[in-house]
Amino acid sequence: MPEIIAETARLILRTEAPGDLDRWMEVMNTPAVRKHLGGVQERHEVEAGFARKAAGIAKDGYSFWHLQTKDDGQLIGQCGFGPIEVDAAAPLLQGQMQVGWSIAESHWRKGFAMEAARAVIELAFTRHGLDQLYAQTSNANLASWQMMEKLGMERVRELDYIDPEYPPEENPTIVYRLTREKWYA
């Protein structure tokens, strides 16, 4: 039985449920959704990602949670936070908490990512007592960094970096930050 972490007007943020892996492979592991995330993955890679999420939740009480719509109970993505663990990132970023999201293409431009991100940010600052959150994306991922700005995050250009794990068109990785003080201002 999945654990419900939070609810919004239209979403349930929860841990993994039976059937999530197959649904993920169908709606989340697509060229469109994975365009700025390193491309479509093999099933074993998705399974490993699910295992990392579950381990993070068990160990720390947070990770990237599954997003389920309230109206039809369908898995439509993920949103959460966890440590930055990218070798190419600046030492200052290593281990800092980052918020992130991904949504199934059929649910793009409906406000689900924003709704989920707001709930996760609130959890990070209240339940988990964080003072700041980072977010990072490819400079090419216009929708993602525009949403970061709508969330009140500020660009930290001096922390941008080239990630050799991604092709040139997905570089540089750009970095945003949100403090708890700004969130509540």
Side-chain angles (χ1 to χ4, degrees):
M1 192 73 172
E3 177 187 355
I4 294 175
I5 305 303
E7 292 189 39
T8 68
R10 301 178 295 163
L11 295 169
I12 295 171
L13 283 77
R14 61 166 174 77
T15 58
E16 184 180 350
D20 280 352
L21 180 61
D22 289 335
R23 171 82 176 157
W24 190 275
M25 294 300 293
E26 177 187 340
V27 301
M28 294 298 295
N29 195 39
T30 68
V33 172
R34 300 281 311 161
K35 179 178 180 180
H36 301 290
L37 299 171
V40 173
Q41 297 178 309
E42 297 291 326
R43 186 177 184 92
H44 70 90
E45 293 172 302
V46 175
E47 289 171 337
F50 274 35
R52 281 191 302 277
K53 285 186 230 181
I57 292 167
K59 178 180 176 275
D60 302 315
Y62 56 80
S63 186
F64 287 76
W65 297 290
H66 296 277
L67 299 176
Q68 172 185 317
T69 54
K70 284 184 172 179
D71 63 353
D72 63 8
Q74 292 294 309
L75 173 71
I76 64 158
Q78 69 174 352
C79 189
F81 66 95
I84 296 173
E85 298 171 332
V86 179
D87 291 339
L92 175 72
L93 276 179
Q94 297 293 334
Q96 294 292 322
M97 293 297 166
Q98 68 175 335
V99 62
W101 50 84
S102 58
I103 302 290
E105 185 178 12
S106 59
H107 289 76
W108 287 356
R109 291 177 285 289
K110 297 179 181 178
F112 287 110
M114 181 68 74
E115 190 173 322
R118 284 184 174 138
V120 165
I121 290 168
E122 188 68 20
L123 285 172
F125 289 150
T126 57
R127 187 182 303 175
H128 297 282
L130 298 182
D131 292 324
Q132 65 183 357
L133 280 169
Y134 288 88
Q136 48 185 353
T137 189
S138 155
N139 191 52
N141 192 345
L142 179 67
S144 186
W145 61 259
Q146 284 181 332
M147 192 173 115
M148 292 170 188
E149 291 176 356
K150 288 177 187 173
L151 286 165
M153 302 187 96
E154 296 176 346
R155 178 87 179 267
V156 189
R157 290 183 186 278
E158 63 270 21
L159 295 177
D160 292 357
Y161 61 94
I162 302 298
D163 189 340
E165 297 291 318
Y166 288 86
E169 63 272 14
E170 293 299 330
N171 273 292
T173 294
I174 60 174
V175 179
Y176 282 77
R177 178 177 53 221
L178 178 65
T179 64
R180 179 174 24 191
E181 181 179 332
K182 182 163 185 195
W183 179 252
Y184 289 113

